[in-house]
Structures are given as structure tokens and as C-alpha cells.
Amino acid sequence: CGERGCREWTARLCDYPVAARGKRTCDRRICARHAHESGPTTDLCPAHAREVAAGVCILVAWVEERA
């Protein structure tokens, strides 16, 4: 897992939308314990889950666009 001190097996990737270096999503490796489900097929790393909770991201519209 990408979280500091975690040695859990990486089961998921962060789906937070980014516009850096040609990537569409963050893709940070996260274990099931640290993944925050933001939809049926959308997982967020802890850092991006905090941003969504604070209202920094328009993730809902982006997730609906993917469906």
C-alpha cells in the first residue's frame, strides 16, 4: 500500500481525477483498509478522500461521466 508504514497488499488504485503527465487518475496504490469507496467502482486514497470531503473536487460529475 502507498500509505506510510502500511505493508498491506495493494488491492486497488486511487480513481481521483488528475491532469498531470497524461494520466487520467491518481493511481496511487491503496490496500482495502486505506481505500475510501466513493462509488460502486470508485476508490480514493486517504489524501484525495479528504479533498473530496472538503469539497475541493467535482468527483461526482466525473464518476457519472464514466458510467
Side-chain angles (χ1 to χ4, degrees):
C1 177
E3 281 299 296
R4 188 175 195 196
C6 184
R7 296 186 183 271
E8 295 283 327
W9 181 73
T10 299
R12 305 169 187 183
L13 298 175
C14 178
D15 296 312
Y16 186 88
V18 296
R21 291 177 259 139
K23 291 173 41 174
R24 284 186 49 114
T25 60
C26 167
D27 290 342
R28 183 174 184 189
R29 294 179 177 143
I30 43 178
C31 67
R33 182 169 52 118
H34 287 110
H36 294 263
E37 293 183 4
S38 183
T41 61
T42 306
D43 299 304
L44 301 174
C45 65
H48 286 132
R50 287 189 296 272
E51 287 189 22
V52 169
V56 175
C57 177
I58 56 168
L59 186 65
V60 174
W62 184 81
V63 169
E64 290 174 356
E65 179 184 299
R66 288 178 53 192

